[in-house]
């Protein structure tokens, strides 16, 4: 019996090490896109580690093929979810890339007009106009960064920057008395 157990220990240990290695290669992506499925696989792995620690090598060897299949399914699901998220982000980027230059142009035009006028509209101070000018410069700079991020394949960050820019632009437009619809 002891010899039989010793013969199973090495393959059981190797099977878990292989599963852990495969899981490690997909863990970050799975955590972001299919966290519930990841928790299930990690739970199974943890349970099998406990079995290994208790010397139940047969249980580990019996369950290891299913664990390997579950890890492969996790990898596929994470890849599919990531692809879908990327497509969605690209669609958002396309819309934002259409809207933001128009927003920046409208703000720039309004800032130029207000900067040339002798008196600011009621309720607007020179400080708020200066803040809008500063905000506009920041928007232009961040828009360039977002475009560079998108071009380099970092779509998720590019969309996040663009969404933040849109919010900032809406804030500036409101401060300048512009409609934001």
């Amino acid at each position: 019996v002891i010899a039989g157990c010793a013969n199973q220990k090495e393959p059981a240990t190797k099977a878990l090490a292989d599963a852990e290695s495969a899981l490690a290669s997909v863990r970050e992506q799975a955590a972001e896109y299919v966290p519930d499925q990841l928790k299930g696989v990690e739970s199974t792995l943890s349970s099998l580690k406990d079995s290994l620690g208790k010397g139940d090598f047969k249980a580990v060897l019996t369950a290891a093929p299913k664990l390997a299949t579950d890890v492969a399914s996790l990898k596929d699901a994470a890849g599919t979810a990531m692809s879908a998220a990327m497509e969605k982000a690209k669609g958002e980027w396309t819309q934002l890339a259409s809207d933001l230059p128009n927003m920046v142009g409208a703000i720039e035009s309004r800032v130029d007009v207000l900067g040339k006028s002798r008196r600011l509209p009621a309720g607007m101070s020179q400080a708020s106009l200066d803040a809008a000018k500063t905000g506009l410069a920041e928007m232009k700079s961040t828009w360039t960064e977002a475009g560079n991020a998108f071009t380099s394949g970092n779509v998720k960050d590019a969309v996040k920057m663009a969404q933040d820019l849109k919010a900032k632009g809406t804030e500036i437009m409101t401060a300048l008395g512009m409609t934001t619809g």
Side-chain angles (χ1 to χ4, degrees), residues 111-155:
V111 165
D112 287 346
V113 166
L114 290 173
K116 292 175 184 173
S117 68
R118 292 180 180 210
R119 290 186 341 173
L120 295 174
M124 183 179 294
S125 67
Q126 185 61 45
S128 61
L129 178 59
D130 292 342
K133 287 178 184 179
T134 301
L136 176 62
E138 290 171 4
M139 283 183 71
K140 287 179 177 182
S141 172
T142 304
W143 179 240
T144 299
E145 288 177 37
N148 291 339
F150 183 81
T151 301
S152 69
N154 197 346
V155 178

